[in-house]
Amino acid sequence: MGYLFIAEKPSLGREVAKARASMLGVREESGSGYIKVGPDIITWVAGHFYELQPPGFYKPEWQSWRIESLPLLPDRFQRKASDNDFAVKQLGLIRNFLKNVDSVVNVGDAGREGQLLIDEVLQELKWDPFNAKTKRLWLQSLTEKDIIAAINKMFNNSDKKSLFEAAFERQKADWMHGLTLTRFYTVKAQQAGAQVTLSIGRVQTPTLKLVVDRDREIENFKPVRHFRPIGLFRHENGAFRAAWVIPDDFEGLDSEGRLIDKAVADKLLARIGGKSGKITGYEVSKKSKSAPLPYTLDSLTKACTSKFGMTGDEVAKTLQKLYEEHKIVSYPRTECEFLPTSILKEDAPSIIAALKGASSTSRAAASANLSLRSAAWNDSKITDHYGIIPTTGFSAEKYARLDKAEKDMFDLIANRFIEQFYPDQTWNSTVVNVEVDGLKFKANGQQPLNQGWRAVQDGFNEDDDPDAEKEDDQSIPVMKKGDPVSVEGGSLKDDTTKPPPYFNDGTLREAMKFIYKFVTDPEIKKRLKDGGLGTAATRKDIIENLLEKGSLKRKGKTGLTSTDQGRAIIDAVPGKVSSPEMTAIWEQQLGRIERGEASAEQFNQAIRKSLTDLIESIRNVDLKIKGTIKPLPGHGTTCPSCGKGTLITRQIILKKDKSKKTILTCSANDHNDPNSCKYVDWGDGPKVVVEPLPDHGKTCPKCGKGKMLTRMISKGEHTGKRFLSCDQWSKDDPKSCSHSEGLPERPKPSETMEGDGTTCPKCKKGTLRTRQSKTGKIFLACDNWRAGDKKSCDHVVWGEDKVDALEGHGVKCGKCGTGVMMTRSGKGGRFLSCNSYPKCDNAVFPDDYQRQSKPSGGGGAFSKGKGFPSKAPAGKPASSSSGAPRRIPTRLK
């Protein structure tokens, strides 16, 4: 066998197989989960087939969510394989293929996670991913031409070992940090009475803080009405408008230097009315603006959210289809805005030619000048990926098959690419300074010279800097310093300050990328300029996770706001947890690991120490969640059952009527840990503390897993009697351990019924035993019966049923096929009835055949050709000899 290519997903594997077949001039042979191409095998995974083992794998006590167990710091991390059928099948295939291959090719995504998810498979299947036989295929485009070029440039996978190490260290650090802090704050919240899971993460929590801070800024915002006097001036060459330049110490200003007193503004206009002034400054300069750089995933998300109202998830899915299904755009999860010069030389002409054929881009592409070279073409700025652009796989025919969302998005990408072959936008900028009666005014104007790249999208550009000083589009006459002007009139520009907008998918992603803009510490700001919160590939999932966990909620379709829970998290966690500082330090160190400049072990040890110190510093914090329930009396006291935990107030939903119930439970209770304390105080009247029996807490002698707990009978003739029972027992689980010690004995039957000890005629597995009901009646019951288990045998024979057996007694029921026909006696005489009553109502009355007006079958096995009714005739109910309807006796537990 030649190469074994392992792709990140099936669709990618098929594209590689197609390109490989074209290279070798052979046909593809498809198998189940793989494709054979000549001597090569192409197979695939589907995302991560392995994940880190859960806490309980490393230490049994880590199964419980207890603050005493924190932080969670495994000595050595281990992985577990996914148990879904596809993963099991594919891992089996890969394991067998590895026995016979010459070389393996990692075809993971060209980034940290893609590197990790293939290398971890190889490691777990005992193949060294960094030996000389393992190659790396690094793909930036899925066109056949580009895949073939990448195959010809495959390099040793060991060249990316440091990338794998950075990815693995990030995975382990997020496991330790995320699980430790999630457990800590969740337990604290539950101790305060909130039934929530508070998800904490080194990226998601600072992201949440961005939204919380913005929401509070909006809520606390107070609009300010302010005024700007505008003078209309006349020069001999024409008229123009100029705004008053507000001095710092003028009357009527607020602390921000805005004129808020309208009377002062009116007075100022009156002061200059009809007066003359002079030009104190006149400057004309030629300005230009180059085309914006190609899109990254973040900037494209912002554009699509703003222009088309798409959510981050919709953007990601649509873009992935353009890349993977249609193959008309380059790699989507990029943070690089620049392009390699090789594309300028080799691909750009054919891409522009193809864009000329599509109706939406034909005009702009036809005017593109391929001899122009924008700032985007810069090999020194290329990282693992480059900006999102159309590929050579694009055609007008493919464009016609796109849906509206795909066309809208592709048009943005294509036009941005076309703009790289247009000249700069140019204009003359004019600045005029005027002085009248000691007051200064300033005018801005511009005269367009060349629209340049703006012509591609008819002037639309969603990336214009909103904070840049806007120039007035008025045409200002030619003047020179010292020229006289007169005041022809004036007006007031009346404006009101506006709060910042709520975040949406696009603007939050942008804020995460440029998080340094929200940081005041100069050292942290400097560190964060090299990397924001998360990556282009993960930011969408971080936002979606915050929505799913209930920390964020939607405002409209794309808007994002914080919830009470989200705000409580930010208010409770220390600044070190909610600050992007941690991410700044992590990303800086992970980048050094990627470049081979730092040790993975040093990073790991630093994370462990930092987390240990953090938990110690916050261990006694009190968490308050808005809307938490009022603590019940006894909240915070020592548990009377285990003596270790404390009682905490919780609110539960009752199954019977969905109503809410406030209870006290032990803080040591863990539904995942059967050995944890199960004490519950339902809050109904005075509480009786059950004094533990001597063997309280010993291991159950029957199942060997549970612990024997002291319980008390609360009603009946044995009220107050204590006994021991296994804590593994559950009334809802018939298979749970029911062992008990010290329970009052059941009433012993006064006699042994005939049939005691014989095999049950219904299930053929159990044995009939004599029992006595609470009312003193004796009966035979199958010992294969279990309370609450509908599949267990419910065969019962009451002591009163002492009648001669009819022919057919003990034979399988002809109606339901599962029960057994038994002889009964009623007012009308003997009859046979199914012992599965009331599930099956088959009854056969051999002494009363002729009364039936119409045979209905059901007991044909005994009918002798005449037929029996499926139900008892009127006046002949299926009953015991006493005339009472048959029933299953109440069992004593």
Side-chain angles (χ1 to χ4, degrees), residues 705-735:
K705 297 179 181 179
K707 301 291 185 183
M708 299 301 290
L709 299 182
T710 304
R711 305 186 190 277
M712 181 181 290
I713 298 174
S714 59
K715 57 185 178 180
E717 61 178 310
H718 299 292
T719 297
K721 182 173 178 57
R722 291 178 299 158
F723 65 97
L724 294 170
S725 69
C726 180
D727 65 3
Q728 295 291 294
W729 177 78
S730 170
K731 65 179 181 180
D732 298 319
D733 182 6
K735 296 182 180 179

Side-chain angles (χ1 to χ4, degrees), residues 226-263:
H226 58 103
F227 308 92
R228 176 66 66 93
I230 307 294
L232 178 60
F233 298 91
R234 171 66 63 178
H235 183 273
E236 62 180 354
N237 293 332
F240 63 95
R241 298 181 307 276
W244 177 47
V245 179
I246 305 175
D248 295 336
D249 55 353
F250 208 82
E251 63 175 320
L253 306 184
D254 65 4
S255 60
E256 300 294 325
R258 296 172 294 225
L259 179 57
I260 59 175
D261 192 329
K262 186 175 182 295

Side-chain angles (χ1 to χ4, degrees), residues 681-758:
D681 180 343
W682 290 90
D684 299 324
K687 306 303 177 297
V688 178
V689 176
V690 181
E691 183 179 349
L693 289 169
D695 287 335
H696 178 92
K698 76 173 185 179
T699 301
C700 175
K702 181 177 180 181
C703 68
K705 297 179 181 179
K707 301 291 185 183
M708 299 301 290
L709 299 182
T710 304
R711 305 186 190 277
M712 181 181 290
I713 298 174
S714 59
K715 57 185 178 180
E717 61 178 310
H718 299 292
T719 297
K721 182 173 178 57
R722 291 178 299 158
F723 65 97
L724 294 170
S725 69
C726 180
D727 65 3
Q728 295 291 294
W729 177 78
S730 170
K731 65 179 181 180
D732 298 319
D733 182 6
K735 296 182 180 179
S736 63
C737 180
S738 59
H739 180 68
S740 64
E741 298 174 4
L743 268 177
E745 294 185 3
R746 293 178 178 178
K748 294 183 179 180
S750 57
E751 60 181 288
T752 299
M753 281 183 60
E754 183 180 352
D756 186 281
T758 61

Side-chain angles (χ1 to χ4, degrees), residues 74-95:
D75 295 330
R76 178 177 174 273
F77 278 92
Q78 296 186 52
R79 305 185 184 102
K80 70 170 183 176
S82 171
D83 59 0
N84 73 64
D85 293 341
F86 179 75
V88 172
K89 173 191 170 186
Q90 290 302 112
L91 287 174
L93 280 176
I94 296 171
R95 181 181 289 106

Side-chain angles (χ1 to χ4, degrees), residues 278-498:
K278 65 178 180 179
I279 302 298
T280 57
Y282 181 82
E283 182 180 350
V284 178
S285 59
K286 185 177 180 179
K287 291 189 176 182
S288 65
K289 184 176 178 65
S290 58
L293 296 173
Y295 285 110
T296 64
L297 177 55
D298 290 319
S299 61
L300 183 62
T301 301
K302 181 184 176 185
C304 291
T305 300
S306 171
K307 191 170 176 62
F308 310 126
M310 299 174 71
T311 65
D313 189 53
E314 289 171 339
V315 172
K317 289 178 179 177
T318 302
L319 184 56
Q320 190 65 23
K321 286 181 67 178
L322 293 176
Y323 169 69
E324 187 176 312
E325 182 178 325
H326 303 298
K327 305 176 190 63
I328 59 176
V329 301
S330 59
Y331 181 78
R333 292 180 291 279
T334 177
E335 296 197 72
C336 178
E337 301 174 295
F338 296 90
L339 301 172
T341 54
S342 58
I343 291 179
L344 177 64
K345 300 172 184 176
E346 300 168 10
D347 297 338
S350 59
I351 294 173
I352 292 295
L355 292 173
K356 291 178 182 178
S359 58
S360 63
T361 54
S362 58
R363 177 189 58 79
S367 299
N369 184 350
L370 292 174
S371 65
L372 296 176
R373 178 169 174 159
S374 74
W377 307 100
N378 190 332
D379 290 335
S380 67
K381 297 291 183 87
I382 302 300
T383 55
D384 287 339
H385 308 290
Y386 49 80
I388 304 172
I389 61 172
T391 67
T392 55
F394 174 76
S395 66
E397 292 74 23
K398 284 188 176 181
Y399 182 82
R401 294 196 291 269
L402 302 180
D403 62 30
K404 185 179 185 305
E406 292 166 348
K407 286 180 177 178
D408 286 342
M409 182 179 290
F410 181 80
D411 287 347
L412 285 182
I413 296 168
N415 284 323
R416 181 62 64 88
F417 180 71
I418 294 171
E419 289 169 357
Q420 309 310 311
F421 303 101
Y422 272 67
D424 290 352
Q425 175 196 14
T426 59
W427 68 95
N428 277 336
S429 175
T430 305
V431 179
V432 179
N433 296 105
V434 183
E435 186 172 328
V436 179
D437 194 25
L439 300 173
K440 296 179 180 180
F441 291 79
K442 183 178 180 179
N444 290 294
Q446 63 176 350
Q447 294 176 312
L449 298 177
N450 187 342
Q451 195 176 10
W453 57 269
R454 291 278 191 181
V456 173
Q457 299 191 66
D458 297 321
F460 168 75
N461 182 41
E462 74 288 339
D463 286 338
D464 278 337
D465 184 358
D467 299 322
E469 183 178 355
K470 303 299 181 183
E471 295 179 339
D472 199 331
D473 60 359
Q474 67 175 319
S475 178
I476 296 179
V478 176
M479 294 176 280
K480 64 180 182 299
K481 186 177 180 180
D483 284 354
V485 292
S486 60
V487 180
E488 287 195 342
S491 61
L492 281 183
K493 183 179 180 182
D494 187 341
D495 207 350
T496 302
T497 57
K498 295 180 176 60

